[in-house]
Amino acid sequence: MERYYQPEIECASREQILAWQNERLVKQVKYVYDRVPYYRKKMEEKGVTPADVTSVADLHKLPFLTKADLRDAYPYGLCAVPISQAVRIQSTSGTTGRRVVAFYTQHDLDLWEDCCARAIMAAGGTKDDVVHVSYGYGLFTGGAGLHGGSHKVGSLTLPMSSGNTDRQIQFMCDLGSTILCCTPSYAAYLSESINERGLKDQIHLKAGIFGAEAWTEEMRRDIEKGLGIKAYDIYGLTEISGPGVAFECSAQGGMHINEDHFIAEIIDPVTEEVLPEGEKGELVFTCITKEAFPLLRYRTRDICVLKREKCACGRTHVKMSKPMGRSDDMLIIKGVNVFPSQIETILLNKGYAANYQLIVDRVNNSDTLEVQVEMTPEMFSDSVSEVTAKEKELVNAMKAMLGIYAKVRLVAPKSIARSEGKAVRVIDKRKLY
Amino acid sequence: MTINQISVFIENKPGKLAEFTDILSKNNIDMRAMSIAETPDFGVMRIIVNDSYNAACVIREAGYVFSITPVLAVAIPDEPGSLGQILNIMGKGEVNLEYLYAFTAPKKDWAYMVFRVQDNEKAIEVLSKNGVKLLDQAELDRLFA
């Protein structure tokens, strides 16, 4: 039996959903125009006023927001409420080292948690479940989102956070965790560890909600078999709220976007024209219920397809496919956003030439990042300990900026392959899309 | 009282060392002494050659990253205990040693050591005071004449 957190919303008629969207969009555009000078200026430059937007059909008139805007407006430039009304900050990495910060009022947190609660119930969760949250807690939205959603459902919530696999497994066995929330690569790792230790018959998991990084159907089958569960995808991004912007239902064929909060469009990333339904393009979101960080027409850079066909689960909200790629050079490694430009910045700051190559791979279902740097006379020394000390300094700087470990490999000058005179910066061996 | 050592960055991959030594041999460069310090990814090859100016030009031309470091060369009697004696002198004189390696020359009863220290001036003073003979570039060349 399909379970819903808010059936009257999740299964509302298309007419009802559109009516909500029309009403909320008109209100939101005026709200943002009045409160966010940065966006008002963009609207003025485009010659649009709030009066020009009378329904969703007018959405295309509004200017886009991109990660570059978030960087320009950092930190408070896109925040629509005074600090006294905001209660939370979450963050994710941005381009060239400046982090993206997002703000939430209590109302925003409530709606975000509602979205996550919908995802948990779509995965079969009830108040009788033990929800094991192994997403990172802290600035990352993964932990906070699913944690809040689990509370809303009334499930017993285990705020494990990431890491310490032994303890994860012990709690899972002892406390009878039934729903696991983490990145798919960590789920695969837990599955392997549990099976290696012969503990599969001591765990009680029935479902998993896995997101924050790309994963294949093959990986889904491996995890489902290894843990004896159903594995559900979840999608989100900090700029829009966090996980739960869209989630998978029992049909396991695409993720329902919570259209009562977010209007989705697909555009051509080059011409920026809105594409007809069913075409592949860049996903754009407009937040119509958020108070503190209400981004309008935010370009996610994720390439996907929207499908409006009737879903077997009974939900009426539009479904998005798994992201099929990016329209920029962002990489998601271990659930963390990584831009090659961030690494370039570190190298230049440390006085190195920006001759580098990133090798991304997935070894035993876990992402690895190797940064190859061409040796220069400035970095070189006859003393190996001096060279390795500099190497370590780079590793630490990258850990500080990216939040993940990257192996540094020093290579011979001019050994990084250049095609048509331009170096190939990223080699992604994971083949996820 | 120092001699020039050339240190070269070489990737730790099959064939890389041969590529480098081929360049030396093609240019008629003779190695007097060598040692390699290795890591999993790369090695630092340290060489002392017959003509360090020419060698540096050739190595630069071939696109290698390298450096030239003044190091100390010492002749010691080819018998048990003689290296220990020098090391004790350096230890007592608070000379910090980075690395060292040995080589031989066509001269009976003598062995030769290369010392890379943090402070050449201090090491020269400590060694000379204790009667240890340091070789300069000309003396080194004469050994192989």
Side-chain angles (χ1 to χ4, degrees), chain A residues 254-255 303-307 319-324:
Chain A
M255 295 172 275
I303 303 292
C304 70
V305 176
L306 296 184
K307 288 176 283 189
K319 286 203 281 193
M320 61 177 276
S321 66
K322 264 183 195 299
M324 301 160 174

Side-chain angles (χ1 to χ4, degrees), chain A residues 118-424:
Chain A
R118 290 178 195 176
I120 292 170
M121 290 198 70
T126 68
K127 63 183 173 52
D128 298 321
D129 278 294
V130 178
V131 175
H132 188 112
V133 184
S134 304
Y135 282 114
Y137 279 63
L139 286 172
F140 179 51
T141 51
L146 272 303
H147 179 96
S150 172
H151 274 233
K152 289 262 177 165
V153 173
S155 308
L156 183 53
T157 311
L158 244 172
M160 293 301 298
S161 197
S162 50
N164 200 341
T165 302
D166 283 329
R167 192 178 61 187
Q168 300 271 0
I169 295 172
Q170 195 186 345
F171 270 65
M172 215 174 259
C173 294
D174 294 353
L175 297 164
S177 308
T178 54
I179 296 179
L180 171 65
C181 305
C182 62
T183 59
S185 51
Y186 194 57
Y189 180 71
L190 277 171
S191 163
E192 263 174 41
S193 306
I194 287 165
N195 284 293
E196 267 169 27
R197 293 166 212 197
L199 293 172
K200 194 180 167 186
D201 57 349
Q202 291 187 43
I203 59 164
H204 302 88
L205 291 176
K206 63 177 189 187
I209 301 171
F210 307 127
E213 63 186 19
W215 50 313
T216 58
E217 282 302 319
E218 190 190 357
M219 205 165 155
R220 190 209 299 263
R221 283 193 296 275
D222 283 351
I223 295 169
E224 290 192 330
K225 193 160 165 270
L227 291 173
I229 61 171
K230 283 255 273 179
Y232 298 91
D233 205 352
I234 187 166
Y235 174 88
L237 57 169
T238 306
E239 298 93 312
I240 300 304
S241 61
V245 172
F247 60 90
E248 222 171 35
C249 61
S250 57
Q252 289 184 319
M255 295 172 275
H256 291 283
I257 294 171
N258 287 308
E259 286 187 284
D260 51 326
H261 299 304
F262 316 108
I263 303 177
E265 299 170 275
I266 294 287
I267 64 161
D268 180 320
V270 179
T271 66
E272 299 190 331
E273 290 299 315
V274 177
L275 295 174
E277 209 172 291
E279 281 200 31
K280 190 166 120 177
E282 183 182 327
L283 185 59
V284 174
F285 280 116
T286 296
C287 305
I288 49 175
T289 51
K290 280 174 71 182
E291 293 176 341
F293 206 59
L295 301 188
L296 305 182
R297 298 198 91 197
Y298 180 70
R299 292 184 59 174
T300 64
R301 300 290 178 179
D302 281 324
I303 303 292
C304 70
V305 176
L306 296 184
K307 288 176 283 189
R308 279 199 197 279
E309 78 228 17
K310 201 167 157 17
C311 186
C313 77
R315 286 180 186 79
T316 48
H317 292 230
V318 70
K319 286 203 281 193
M320 61 177 276
S321 66
K322 264 183 195 299
M324 301 160 174
R326 298 274 309 170
S327 67
D328 63 6
D329 57 358
M330 188 178 92
L331 297 158
I332 301 181
I333 301 169
K334 294 182 183 173
V336 173
N337 299 349
V338 175
F339 291 90
S341 54
Q342 290 176 298
I343 287 158
E344 193 165 318
T345 304
I346 295 169
L347 293 174
L348 292 172
N349 284 347
K350 296 267 168 203
Y352 300 126
N355 281 335
Y356 66 93
Q357 192 166 54
L358 310 183
I359 315 284
V360 189
D361 206 347
R362 191 162 274 183
V363 181
N364 297 328
N365 281 316
S366 181
D367 292 340
T368 59
L369 170 62
E370 178 177 294
V371 180
Q372 296 192 348
V373 186
E374 285 186 0
M375 196 51 164
T376 61
E378 295 75 36
M379 280 164 85
F380 185 62
S381 159
D382 65 306
S383 155
V384 169
S385 56
E386 271 176 41
V387 178
T388 49
K390 286 185 184 175
E391 205 178 67
K392 188 91 206 295
E393 205 180 286
L394 272 185
V395 169
N396 292 342
M398 283 192 255
K399 173 97 192 163
M401 184 180 277
L402 309 173
I404 54 169
Y405 169 76
K407 178 187 162 44
V408 169
R409 183 190 290 271
L410 299 170
V411 299
K414 299 196 171 61
S415 64
I416 288 172
R418 288 160 172 80
S419 61
E420 293 158 9
K422 198 173 179 296
V424 180

Side-chain angles (χ1 to χ4, degrees), chain A residues 375-377 380-384 387-388 391 407-413 415, chain B residues 5 7-9 11 37 39 41-42 44 46 63 65-67 69 98-99 116:
Chain A
M375 196 51 164
T376 61
F380 185 62
S381 159
D382 65 306
S383 155
V384 169
V387 178
T388 49
E391 205 178 67
K407 178 187 162 44
V408 169
R409 183 190 290 271
L410 299 170
V411 299
S415 64
Chain B
Q5 167 192 277
S7 312
V8 189
F9 176 85
E11 284 188 62
T39 74
D41 298 338
F42 65 89
V44 176
R46 298 141 180 168
V65 170
F66 70 101
S67 65
T69 321
E98 296 270 342
Y99 55 81
R116 162 76 156 98

